[in-house]
Every structure is written in C-alpha cells, then in structure tokens.
Amino acid sequence: KAADVPIIVAVNKMDKEGVNPDTVKNRLGEFELVPEEWGGETLFVPVSALKGEGIDELLENIILQAEVLDLGANPDRPAEGTVIEAKMERGRGPVATVLVQTGTLRQGDFVVLGGAYGRVRAMTDHRGKKVKVAGPSMPVEVVGLSDLPGVGDSLLVARSDKDARAVAEYRVNEKRSNAMASTRRRTAEDLFAAVERGELKTVNVVIKADVQGSLEALRNAVEALDVIGTEVRVLHAGVGNISESDVHLLAADEGLLIGFNVKVD
C-alpha cells in the first residue's frame, strides 16, 4: 500500500471444513482493503494451496487486473530487468537471479548487471530447468558473470563484451563518486524540522519492540499524534530485533524507524 501497488488477496485454506472467508475480508477491511462485492476495489480470490483449488481463478484475476491497469511489456526488444538475488556457487561462479521486466533475454547475450558484466552462458528457470530465452515477467538464474551484482541492480543487454565492460566500469565509478559525495541520512530531528517547515506531508514509521504490550502502546501513541498538515503512517509494527527488511521498508522515503528495548541485527 505504501508503494501504491494494486493488491489482490488470495484467501487460502478454503478446503478446511467450516471456514468463512468473510472473517478475512472483515479484518483486511480494517486496513482499507475492501472487497469489490462490498463496494470496494480489492479483488479477493478463495484458494486452497493444498488441493490446488481456485488457482485458475486467481490467475484470471491477475490477468484482468493487468489489462485494466494496462500493464504490459514488449518482448521484441533487448531485455531489461532487475536482480532479485545473487550468490557464489562452486563450479558456476557468480550466479544472479534476475526478473526480466521487458524485452527478451537470450543465452549468449552480453549483459550488464550493476557493476558486473558478462555473457549469458546458461539460464535456469524456477524449477532448475535449463532455458535459452526468458521473456517479460520471467525470473531466471544467470551464469557467466564477472562478479556478483547487488540486489536491486538493473540488467541491460549490450551489443558486445567491450560495451558491457565499459558500462559496468562506468556504473562502478559513478557509484563510488556518489558514495563519496553523498550526505548523511536524515535523522529524526531532520524529519521533525521538515514537518515544521511544511516540506513533509507524510511521515512513514516502522516500530519494533521487545514485547507485544510495549508495541501496542507505542503504536497507539504514534497513531494518536495529530500534526496539522502532516499524516503519520505506520507501515509496519512488530515484535523482535530491527532487521534489514525493516530498514529497506523505509530506505526509499527516509521515514522514521523506532526501536524500543530491541537490538539491531
């Protein structure tokens, strides 16, 4: 919701006796995810992962949503995508899992992934089966890279190994320059000052606490804050130490991360 991404809800375990999907709908309605049949805009699909029921309907709704939002990609062009995982494997070297977002990635293509480059020596799909082409929305593992890319790095297809190397080196240098020139991340005091100046309309907050009681008290206190012209939005509240995913949740919009009696992983 924070990223304004449309949501489709798959209500699982519908094979269980006496289950009532309205319970889930009521609870999610508290978070403004109101079913279409109740006058809202959220698609709810009853499914059973155990028995495979409702999967066809779920896929149909995803396709319908894509058509309504005019989501599409051109497969007849060089691939572009994003790295979603990277690891070193004995015998294969740097291996990157990439999601192709537009165009088609082919075995033998020269590619740039962040500061890494190479030629696609082999690709495997999510089942471990070797493939030679990967179109839009398809995730594949890519082998044949010079180095490990970072998660979130963009993938581009180059015309030659020389071009791929040049783009990769440019990206590395640019990243190094930006890191040296970058200013510090804003502190809580900076955020409060921006609110007072009227520069910040929404303050996103993540709260982590050691026990549920403390968490509820903190969340209620934060949500009760009333600042004229500014909305305080709790993106996530949970029990446990502050994790990397908590930081990533706020990294894009420099929100406020509150930890009460917890450690940082």
Side-chain angles (χ1 to χ4, degrees), residues 185 206 242-255 257 264-265:
R185 188 169 291 280
V206 170
I242 294 170
S243 67
E244 190 174 356
S245 62
D246 297 323
V247 177
H248 284 315
L249 194 56
L250 288 172
D253 44 29
E254 297 185 316
L257 180 54
V264 179
D265 286 344

Side-chain angles (χ1 to χ4, degrees), residues 2-244:
D4 293 324
V5 175
I7 296 173
I8 297 175
V9 180
V11 186
N12 194 25
K13 301 185 185 294
M14 293 304 295
D15 56 287
K16 286 189 172 290
E17 192 173 339
V19 69
N20 183 7
D22 287 349
T23 305
V24 175
K25 294 176 181 179
N26 280 322
R27 289 295 302 277
L28 288 180
E30 298 172 12
F31 299 94
E32 300 174 7
L33 296 179
V34 182
E36 279 191 331
E37 60 266 31
W38 294 359
E41 298 181 352
T42 306
L43 294 171
F44 280 73
V45 184
V47 301
S48 168
L50 185 66
K51 296 188 176 181
E53 296 171 356
I55 304 302
D56 288 342
E57 186 182 353
L58 177 60
L59 292 173
E60 287 173 8
N61 276 281
I62 292 172
I63 293 170
L64 175 64
Q65 188 80 298
E67 289 177 351
V68 170
L69 297 172
D70 195 25
L71 304 178
N74 177 15
D76 301 320
R77 50 158 293 172
E80 291 183 17
T82 301
V83 178
I84 55 177
E85 188 57 271
K87 58 187 175 182
M88 291 293 293
E89 283 193 10
R90 183 178 295 178
R92 296 209 297 171
V95 179
T97 303
V98 302
L99 179 66
V100 180
Q101 293 169 295
T102 189
T104 298
L105 184 64
R106 293 178 169 82
Q107 186 175 326
D109 280 349
F110 296 102
V111 292
V112 185
L113 298 87
Y117 66 94
R119 190 171 190 176
V120 180
R121 197 167 71 237
M123 292 190 295
T124 52
D125 65 11
H126 63 290
R127 298 178 185 270
K129 180 182 176 183
K130 287 189 175 183
V131 294
K132 292 190 176 182
V133 294
S137 82
M138 184 174 179
V140 285
E141 281 192 344
V142 174
V143 178
L145 305 176
S146 63
D147 201 356
L148 271 182
V151 173
D153 282 349
S154 59
L155 172 144
L156 294 173
V157 172
R159 288 177 296 181
S160 66
D161 182 59
K162 183 180 178 181
D163 287 347
R165 186 194 299 263
V167 172
E169 289 176 353
Y170 173 80
R171 285 182 171 183
V172 169
N173 292 332
E174 186 180 40
K175 187 175 183 180
R176 187 182 298 122
S177 299
N178 290 339
M180 293 174 66
S182 63
T183 56
R184 64 183 176 86
R185 188 169 291 280
R186 289 201 290 183
T187 64
E189 288 75 18
D190 296 330
L191 290 173
F192 296 147
V195 169
E196 288 181 359
R197 293 193 300 268
E199 297 172 1
L200 208 58
K201 300 302 180 185
T202 302
V203 178
N204 291 317
V205 180
V206 170
I207 306 171
K208 298 300 287 286
D210 55 343
V211 293
Q212 193 67 36
S214 300
L215 180 68
E216 290 301 323
L218 274 168
R219 179 168 190 157
N220 290 337
V222 169
E223 290 180 335
L225 292 173
D226 187 13
V227 182
I228 297 175
T230 302
E231 174 194 4
V232 178
R233 182 194 297 176
V234 177
L235 291 184
H236 173 64
V239 173
N241 289 338
I242 294 170
S243 67
E244 190 174 356

